[in-house]
Amino acid sequence: MNVPIQKPEFGTKTGKYQWVHDSIVNVCTGEKDLIANLANATAILKENFDWWWTGFYLVKENELVLGPFQGPVACTRIAYGRGVCGSSWQQKKSMLVPDVHAFPGHIACSAASNSELVVPVLRNGEVLAVLDADSEHFSHFDATDQQELEKICAYLATLF
Ligand code: SME
C-alpha cells in the first residue's frame, strides 16, 4: 500500500482520474480482502470528488446488496432491473442520468440526489457489482466521468 500523501495539481479532470485510478491500484495491491479494497476505493473517490454519495452494490443471490460506501444511509437491497442500479445490472452498461426525477423507477435513497452515474463492474460479461455515484446537482456527471469510472471498475473487477 502506497498512497501519495501530497495530492498533485490536476490540470484536467482526466488527469485527476488518472491519479485517483493509480491511488486505488496502489492501495489495493497486495490486499486480497474485497470489502477492504472497495472501502478504500470509495474513500479515495470521496476524498477527490464532491459527490453526495458514492459506493458499491454487490450482486448476491440475485439481488444487489449494499456494500462499502461514503455518504448518508442508503437502501440495502435493490432488485434486478429496478432503479438506476438494477437497470445498469440488467443492461450490463453504465447509466448516466442527468435528472434522476425523469428516470422511470429511480429509487430515491435520498431526496437530495438529482443526478447519478452507475457503472457496472463486469468480468467475462458478468456483472459482479455496480458503482453508484450521486450528486445533489443536476447534470453533474459527464462522458469523462463515465469513461474514467469504467476504467476504475475494470481494474476493480480483477479483485473479485
Ligand atoms: N438511486 C439508486 C439507488 C441507490 S442510492 O441512490 C444510493 C437507484 O435508482 O438505483
Side-chain angles (χ1 to χ4, degrees):
M1 176 172 144
N2 176 26
V3 178
I5 293 165
Q6 187 71 44
K7 284 186 197 175
E9 285 296 315
F10 301 115
T12 61
K13 194 191 229 182
T14 307
K16 185 176 187 175
Y17 267 111
Q18 184 61 55
W19 191 85
V20 164
H21 176 279
D22 292 350
S23 297
I24 290 173
V25 172
N26 282 342
V27 84
C28 295
T29 297
E31 175 52 61
K32 65 180 188 333
D33 189 274
L34 177 64
I35 298 302
N37 285 331
L38 296 182
N40 268 332
T42 55
I44 290 167
L45 291 168
K46 168 75 178 173
E47 285 292 307
N48 287 280
F49 297 100
D50 57 345
W51 302 335
W52 174 254
W53 192 96
T54 187
F56 293 91
Y57 281 91
L58 308 177
V59 175
K60 290 184 183 176
E61 295 165 4
N62 213 32
E63 266 187 316
L64 289 175
V65 182
L66 185 63
F69 71 96
Q70 298 264 328
V73 168
C75 34
T76 311
R77 292 172 186 270
I78 298 175
Y80 185 71
R82 294 289 308 279
V84 185
C85 292
S87 300
S88 173
W89 178 20
Q90 185 176 45
Q91 295 178 35
K92 299 185 177 183
K93 64 171 198 167
S94 299
M95 310 292 292
L96 183 56
V97 183
D99 177 358
V100 295
H101 311 288
F103 187 94
H106 166 252
I107 300 163
C109 288
S110 164
S113 177
N114 283 318
S115 63
E116 183 163 0
L117 173 57
V118 178
V119 176
V121 178
L122 281 158
R123 191 178 58 199
N124 301 326
E126 182 194 356
V127 178
L128 306 170
V130 299
L131 170 59
D132 183 12
D134 294 79
S135 173
E136 68 269 47
H137 306 292
F138 288 97
S139 304
H140 189 70
F141 304 100
D142 62 16
T144 301
D145 295 301
Q146 178 179 331
Q147 191 175 39
E148 297 299 328
L149 288 181
E150 285 174 356
K151 279 186 212 164
I152 288 170
C153 285
Y155 166 71
L156 293 173
T158 67
L159 305 176
F160 279 67

